[in-house]
Amino acid sequence: MRLLSKVFQPLITIPKNAKIKSTEVTCKSQKLLLECGLIRPTSSGLFAILPLAQRAMDKLETHIRKHIEAAGAQRISLPSLTSAWLWDNKHIEAAGAQRISLPSLTAASLWDKSGRLQEMGPELMKATDRHGKQYVLAPTHEEAITDLLADVGPLSYKQLPLILYQISSKFRDEHRPKHGLLRARQFTMMDAYSHHATEECVRNTYERMSQAYRDIFEGLGLKVYRVEAPSGAMGGSLSHEWQAVAEAGEDSLTVCQRCQHVGLEAKCQRCGGEGEVVSSIEVGHTFVLNTRYSSPLGACYTDAQGARPALRAACYGVGGSRLLAACVEAGGAWPRGVAPYSALLVPPKEGSKEWQQLGWSSVEQVYSQLSVLPTLRDDVIVDDRCDMTIGKRLMQANRMGYPYTVVMGKAALESPPRYELVCGSSTQLLTMPELLKTIDT
Ligand code: ATP
Ligand code: MG
Ligand code: MG
Ligand code: MG
């Protein structure tokens, strides 16, 4: 059940709130969005989009996409400040996270306060406005989220734990960008931040979010290990990297031959078995931060006695664009649910006997029979480049790795017609009811 009391919605009354000058509020929508706790300014002209506004934005995005795609537009992402993501957010939200959006431009003064302006040095991309104010194009958002909670706070202990997440572009001046999306200078990340009163609560939420991560990766069919890791420039007391086994990976880990435990040592810490070293890709990283950012940035909560201790935090990041690339690295076919299209329909070659006897109407018929399957709704595409042979189109389909390819070959002329279903390395010749049953299960 969704409870309004748990929604992160800092309510304010403009003339009374010292942090927002009433002279800066110049229109109805601005006043409503601010007062109802839907948005929050972070710097001049920059806003955090809070969970209720984010829900509305998500719906708006779905609505816009539906109509714009019906008009024939295809979605892409050019380097920009927009977000793009590859799975729905059910696992993260099931763990209690609420979606927000923070601006990519973050005040350099915040990075100075946390000490990371120095620590991360050349990896930070910077920008300056016309008044000379300096910004960091966020490589991650610990400073920004902590500043937001300091600004709206102090939260009551009753509002905790609070888990906020976003999906947005991150910027890092990588010394050597490499492997396409695996190491880019701008990439998409799902980053979540949880805030707590007690260390026990941090650990519980950390494990719950870890389970959400396992569900995410399992849903993609990826073999991902959680490995204890140093916390590096992020700081904090504990961290885990989420490593996907793949040859192109720049990292490596040792997998026990006997119990599959993961670790960094040659001998398994759990069972003493021999470890095998494999290449891997860091697809995610989670950290217990405790008060690493809330202390220097002044983010606290009010406890039952009215005292104001610093918030304890954990953070969770998955590289979306890197994960997309890792899916492609790891397997022959796209995971279901991520494949650009789940099924490809290959009609006969133009001028062939099948083409002449079946005609385009039977292609349309097969297409609509496939499209009504719940697993394939709006997710079937026809390779209508019928001047190419079936073999040539199949070769390209194979390379692309569609989960299902349906071919209208010679057997489509039989009575009842049969179709080839190519699924990974297996090919079956099936009647339409058999085909639909196979795909549906
Ligand atoms: P790496 O060790 O590969 O440089 P990182 O440890 O610097 O990564 P984190 O700060 O832990 O990365 O960020 C969280 C996640 O963001 C990473 O686990 C990864 O999935 C993703 N990520 C980090 N850097 C990049 C990049 N340059 N391109 C694409 N994704 C990235
Ligand atoms: Mg890095
Ligand atoms: Mg790393
Ligand atoms: Mg990392």
Side-chain angles (χ1 to χ4, degrees):
M1 199 171 12
R2 286 181 195 276
L3 302 173
L4 195 59
S5 62
K6 295 289 175 201
V7 173
F8 180 52
Q9 183 188 13
L11 301 173
I12 56 168
T13 315
I14 296 287
K16 291 194 193 132
N17 191 289
K19 289 172 186 164
I20 297 162
K21 291 195 202 109
S22 56
T23 49
E24 286 169 9
V25 180
T26 49
C27 72
K28 197 169 89 180
S29 61
Q30 187 186 12
K31 188 168 184 323
L32 184 137
L33 294 172
L34 284 168
E35 291 196 325
C36 296
L38 274 79
I39 62 169
R40 189 86 186 180
T42 61
S43 272
S44 173
L46 297 171
F47 296 91
I49 307 291
L50 304 183
L52 291 175
Q54 186 65 58
R55 263 182 82 78
M57 296 259 283
D58 290 348
K59 290 188 180 172
L60 193 60
E61 183 183 306
T62 308
H63 180 71
I64 292 171
R65 282 176 59 182
K66 182 173 113 191
H67 290 286
I68 213 84
E69 288 179 12
Q74 303 173 47
R75 185 168 176 183
I76 58 165
S77 288
L78 297 171
S80 73
L81 305 189
T82 59
S83 68
W85 200 237
L86 64 137
W87 80 73
D88 67 33
N89 305 310
K90 64 174 185 247
H91 296 302
I92 292 293
E93 291 190 2
Q98 303 174 53
R99 184 167 171 182
I100 60 166
S101 289
L102 295 169
S104 294
L105 285 170
T106 53
S109 56
L110 281 179
W111 293 82
D112 198 24
K113 266 194 205 165
S114 72
R116 288 209 289 187
L117 199 58
Q118 290 295 325
E119 241 171 272
M120 292 185 71
E123 201 168 320
L124 298 177
M125 299 264 204
K126 298 185 189 105
T128 310
D129 73 12
R130 63 173 70 203
H131 306 294
K133 182 170 169 170
Q134 305 226 320
Y135 299 88
V136 168
L137 277 166
T140 173
H141 274 90
E142 283 74 24
E143 280 79 357
I145 197 94
T146 313
D147 184 55
L148 175 70
L149 294 183
D151 176 42
V152 303
L155 298 175
S156 154
Y157 69 97
K158 291 182 193 155
Q159 290 173 279
L160 303 174
L162 177 66
I163 316 172
L164 301 173
Y165 78 98
Q166 60 170 351
I167 294 161
S168 65
S169 289
K170 298 286 187 271
F171 300 83
R172 296 187 184 184
D173 197 349
E174 296 282 354
H175 186 53
R176 244 169 22 110
K178 204 178 161 190
H179 291 328
L181 291 185
L182 287 177
R183 185 171 301 284
R185 299 176 106 189
Q186 177 182 339
F187 56 94
T188 314
M189 198 199 286
M190 187 293 298
D191 45 327
Y193 306 87
S194 65
H195 286 84
H196 313 260
T198 65
E199 205 162 337
E200 189 194 350
C201 188
V202 178
R203 290 301 179 104
N204 287 342
T205 301
Y206 190 79
E207 285 310 318
R208 207 160 76 233
M209 289 294 279
S210 292
Q211 190 51 47
Y213 269 40
R214 288 189 192 99
D215 294 341
I216 287 168
F217 299 132
E218 201 181 296
L220 297 174
L222 272 187
K223 190 133 194 86
V224 176
Y225 293 94
R226 186 176 98 157
V227 192
E228 228 174 278
S231 296
M234 199 68 78
S237 52
L238 172 75
S239 98
H240 291 97
E241 284 174 0
W242 295 78
Q243 296 279 358
V245 176
E247 245 173 58
E250 294 182 63
D251 293 348
S252 67
L253 70 149
T254 311
V255 182
C256 176
Q257 304 277 55
R258 201 187 298 161
C259 76
Q260 295 287 298
H261 175 64
V262 185
L264 298 170
E265 294 82 12
K267 275 249 182 286
C268 179
Q269 297 291 76
R270 263 197 205 155
C271 73
E274 285 298 321
E276 185 197 2
V277 180
V278 292
S279 299
S280 61
I281 298 170
E282 179 194 322
V283 288
H285 203 155
T286 51
F287 302 81
V288 172
L289 299 169
N290 277 320
T291 57
R292 161 70 182 88
Y293 297 92
S294 54
S295 285
L297 297 172
C300 56
Y301 69 99
T302 316
D303 71 13
Q305 285 73 44
R308 291 185 172 182
L311 284 162
R312 291 173 184 277
C315 70
Y316 318 82
V318 184
S321 39
R322 182 181 283 188
L323 184 58
L324 183 80
C327 287
V328 178
E329 289 292 335
W334 290 87
R336 262 170 103 152
V338 179
Y341 284 93
S342 294
L344 175 78
L345 177 60
V346 184
K349 180 172 188 313
E350 235 166 52
S352 66
K353 196 166 138 206
E354 296 83 66
W355 171 267
Q356 279 158 4
Q357 293 195 17
L358 293 168
W360 192 250
S361 63
S362 52
V363 178
E364 285 174 338
Q365 205 182 348
V366 173
Y367 177 77
S368 53
Q369 280 170 305
L370 290 173
S371 296
V372 295
L373 277 180
T375 40
L376 295 185
R377 203 181 301 275
D378 283 334
D379 216 17
V380 186
I381 190 159
V382 183
D383 190 346
D384 59 339
R385 298 168 303 168
C386 297
D387 54 333
M388 283 163 69
T389 62
I390 285 185
K392 206 159 186 186
R393 280 178 285 162
L394 261 181
M395 234 160 65
Q396 290 188 12
N398 220 351
R399 194 169 146 69
M400 176 71 184
Y402 294 95
Y404 299 108
T405 303
V406 177
V407 184
M408 298 173 73
K410 282 197 177 63
L413 292 177
E414 293 171 3
S415 174
R418 289 192 299 161
Y419 307 94
E420 266 171 57
L421 175 66
V422 185
C423 182
S425 56
S426 88
T427 304
Q428 293 168 276
L429 209 50
L430 304 168
T431 62
M432 184 50 77
E434 288 167 341
L435 182 74
L436 296 179
K437 203 166 154 223
T438 309
I439 293 177
D440 208 24
T441 48

